[in-house]
Amino acid sequence: MGVSGSGKSTIAAELAKRLSWTFEDGDRFHPKSNVAKMSAGHPLTDEDRWPWLQAIADEIDRVCEAGGHVVVACSALKRAYREILVHGRDDVRIVFLDGSQALIADRLARRKGHFMPPGLLDSQFKTLEPPQADECPINVSIDAPVETIVNNIAAQVATEVRI
């Protein structure tokens, strides 16, 4: 989880590859109306997000019930959003990709072909509720190479899950 431009898709895809788990990009679960809204430079409301988050939670449940593992890249900026995704499961972990607004703004300015415009970064940081200790997050600084970030996450996950 993290704001747009924090590296969620890149890190999640590499982590899934490293762990031999399935990767899902949460963006693919957005209804077309959400993508159109963000593309037009308008932030999503909670009402826009609920069906999207529930679709991701349903996919997590489906994969876990089938005995699999999945890494999902999803902003999950508010605790309430993470509660929908985790909904009391003790086999789901939140990884928070933490970085400064300046670093992420620089990344967004260089990113091409994504529906999320850099102008919405302020609203993402205003919405962001970093995970608290009782959510048992894995907090990771994004101010490191991808391989280092993935190594740190994989090491923590490996102590909790038989992979």
Side-chain angles (χ1 to χ4, degrees), residues 4 104-105 108-111 114-123:
S4 184
I104 295 170
L108 286 177
R110 292 183 279 126
R111 185 162 74 174
H114 194 276
F115 63 83
M116 180 72 167
L120 290 181
L121 185 60
D122 282 343
S123 73

Side-chain angles (χ1 to χ4, degrees), residues 53-156:
L53 292 163
Q54 189 58 57
I56 295 170
D58 292 346
E59 179 65 9
I60 292 168
D61 289 344
R62 186 192 69 73
V63 171
C64 291
E65 287 167 9
H69 296 93
V70 62
V71 178
V72 180
C74 174
S75 56
L77 298 176
K78 289 184 179 180
R79 182 182 188 111
Y81 306 163
R82 296 186 295 274
E83 288 173 352
I84 290 171
L85 298 172
V86 175
H87 60 278
R89 296 185 72 115
D90 62 3
D91 59 345
V92 176
R93 288 295 300 275
I94 298 294
V95 176
F96 175 40
L97 300 178
D98 191 14
S100 72
Q101 190 164 349
L103 172 64
I104 295 170
D106 180 60
R107 289 180 177 186
L108 286 177
R110 292 183 279 126
R111 185 162 74 174
K112 304 282 188 260
H114 194 276
F115 63 83
M116 180 72 167
L120 290 181
L121 185 60
D122 282 343
S123 73
Q124 292 231 317
F125 270 95
K126 286 177 185 166
T127 301
L128 178 63
E129 297 172 1
Q132 301 302 301
D134 66 323
E135 294 179 81
C136 301
I138 297 173
N139 294 314
V140 182
S141 170
I142 62 166
D143 195 12
V146 170
E147 184 176 351
T148 301
I149 295 169
V150 172
N151 286 344
N152 291 339
I153 299 167
Q156 290 184 64

Side-chain angles (χ1 to χ4, degrees), residues 22-34:
T22 301
F23 165 69
E24 290 290 349
D25 193 318
D27 286 346
R28 87 171 184 84
F29 293 88
H30 272 298
K32 290 179 183 176
S33 58
N34 283 7

